Amino acid sequence: MRNKERLLFLMLAGVVTLWGLNVVMVKYLTMFPPMYVATIRMTIAGIILAPIIFQYRKNLRIGTTNWILLAGVGASSIALHQITLATGVQYTSAGNASLILGLNPLATALLAMLLLGEGMSWRKGLGIAVGFAGVLIVVISQHGGIHMNGWGDAIMFFSMLMYVTGGLLIRKLALRGVPVLLITVLSQWFGVIFLWISALMIQPASYYIGLEVTPFQWLVILASAVLSTAIGSVGWNYGIRQLGASRTAMFLNGMPLASLLFAALFLGEQLQLVHLLALLMIVGGVYLGSRHQAKPSPVPTVVPTELTTKA
């Protein structure tokens, strides 16, 4: 069991690393409208994931409630998250955006405790605090401080909550017996539909078709869609199924630092010694917050705690 958990941790660390790289790729693509980039990326990812539907074609009779929950995942953590993320970064600093998104583990832990019955221990709370402090160090060292920016910060906070909401709905669907891969692909396509509706409300299809995209830019879009969105979503949703929403969310603390490292590698941004301290704090926070909440009690038990949470 411990070996399986270590593999899960390595997989989630890999997913977060890919998402850190994705921030750099999306930053490179800022010459295009944000809605265009988000919609194209999500559509390509949906196409890559589509064959999974054939594999699970016998599992599509999942009931009206589960279909509504799947639509909720697509609307919240994919469509609304992408739209508000693209909008929010235009009205606030990159540092504020990173810091607000860094609240994800705390918000996830609190809402999972209230809505799903997942426990909150002193270890998990300490892990959240230490990890968020590491994120704070990264943001302040990179941007010189934190300055409130009104509506931009509010939009980013809403974007973070939408991603948290999607994660909780995924956890609920998994507890209801819906296969993780099926959750991933169906929610992805719900998100794609919502994104295209929004994109076409902003600009006609002819506008997007008329945009000139070089082969290298298409390569970056493809890498972002396949590696970060498609493969990353499968790994992340599997982590939520196995570890729970709040334990999995701890790993998101590593994304700002991963973005910083890749920005230094590909965009020439400078690294400082303080970032090593941030790395140690983030890794320490993830270690504390993602471990089991308590050792097995002396009284024998048959069903693991994680599987007895409320649906």
Side-chain angles (χ1 to χ4, degrees):
M1 190 66 183
R2 284 189 175 277
N3 288 335
K4 182 181 179 181
E5 197 167 78
R6 289 193 187 99
L7 289 175
L8 278 171
F9 290 174
L10 287 174
M11 178 194 71
L12 290 171
V15 169
V16 171
T17 301
L18 283 176
W19 286 351
L21 175 61
N22 187 57
V23 172
V24 176
M25 289 190 285
V26 171
K27 185 174 182 179
Y28 170 77
L29 296 169
T30 51
M31 70 283 292
F32 301 110
M35 184 62 75
Y36 171 80
V37 175
T39 305
I40 293 298
R41 284 175 48 239
M42 295 300 148
T43 302
I44 294 174
I47 293 171
I48 296 296
L49 294 171
I52 295 174
I53 298 179
F54 179 78
Q55 180 183 350
Y56 286 94
R57 61 190 182 279
K58 295 180 180 180
N59 300 82
L60 292 176
R61 294 182 179 179
I62 55 178
T64 303
T65 300
N66 288 335
W67 280 108
I68 293 173
L69 290 173
L70 285 167
V73 176
S76 58
S77 66
I78 297 176
L80 282 172
H81 174 67
Q82 291 291 336
I83 293 170
T84 52
L85 182 65
T87 305
V89 294
Q90 297 178 11
Y91 299 101
T92 190
S93 66
N96 281 29
S98 299
L99 190 61
I100 293 169
L101 293 176
L103 291 171
N104 189 305
L106 175 59
T108 300
L110 292 176
L111 290 177
M113 179 178 63
L114 294 173
L115 302 178
L116 299 180
E118 292 189 9
M120 170 65 82
S121 64
W122 70 267
R123 189 187 298 275
K124 184 181 291 186
L126 181 61
I128 291 172
V130 172
F132 183 69
V135 175
L136 184 62
I137 288 176
V138 171
V139 171
I140 292 177
S141 65
Q142 188 178 8
H143 302 282
I146 302 299
H147 309 284
M148 297 304 293
N149 287 303
W151 279 110
D153 290 343
I155 293 171
M156 288 304 305
F157 187 78
F158 181 78
S159 179
M160 181 272 296
L161 284 181
M162 287 300 95
Y163 196 82
V164 170
T165 300
L168 295 178
L169 293 177
I170 289 167
R171 176 62 172 162
K172 191 172 184 66
L173 281 162
L175 290 173
R176 292 171 65 89
V178 183
V180 173
L181 287 176
L182 190 60
I183 294 172
T184 303
V185 64
L186 292 179
S187 62
Q188 180 72 29
W189 273 105
F190 272 118
V192 167
I193 292 170
F194 295 144
L195 278 171
W196 272 112
I197 292 173
S198 301
L200 293 176
M201 287 176 64
I202 296 173
Q203 296 285 356
S206 58
Y207 171 80
Y208 299 108
I209 295 173
L211 292 173
E212 295 185 4
V213 186
T214 67
F216 182 75
Q217 289 166 343
W218 274 118
L219 180 63
V220 174
I221 292 173
L222 189 64
S224 173
V226 175
L227 296 178
S228 299
T229 304
I231 296 177
S233 295
V234 170
W236 190 256
N237 292 351
Y238 182 74
I240 291 175
R241 171 67 181 89
Q242 297 297 318
L243 299 178
S246 57
R247 291 178 70 198
T248 304
M250 298 290 175
F251 289 83
L252 285 173
N253 282 329
M255 195 170 72
L257 189 62
S259 299
L260 189 65
L261 293 173
F262 283 116
L265 182 62
F266 295 113
L267 303 179
E269 296 185 7
Q270 291 187 346
L271 290 175
Q272 303 173 17
L273 187 61
V274 70
H275 295 139
L276 177 60
L277 173 61
L279 173 63
L280 294 175
M281 293 179 69
I282 290 170
V283 171
V286 170
Y287 175 76
L288 286 171
S290 59
R291 292 184 67 188
H292 283 299
Q293 295 177 23
K295 296 180 180 179
S297 61
V299 180
T301 180
V302 177
V303 184
T305 304
E306 193 62 53
L307 296 182
T308 61
T309 52
K310 295 186 293 184

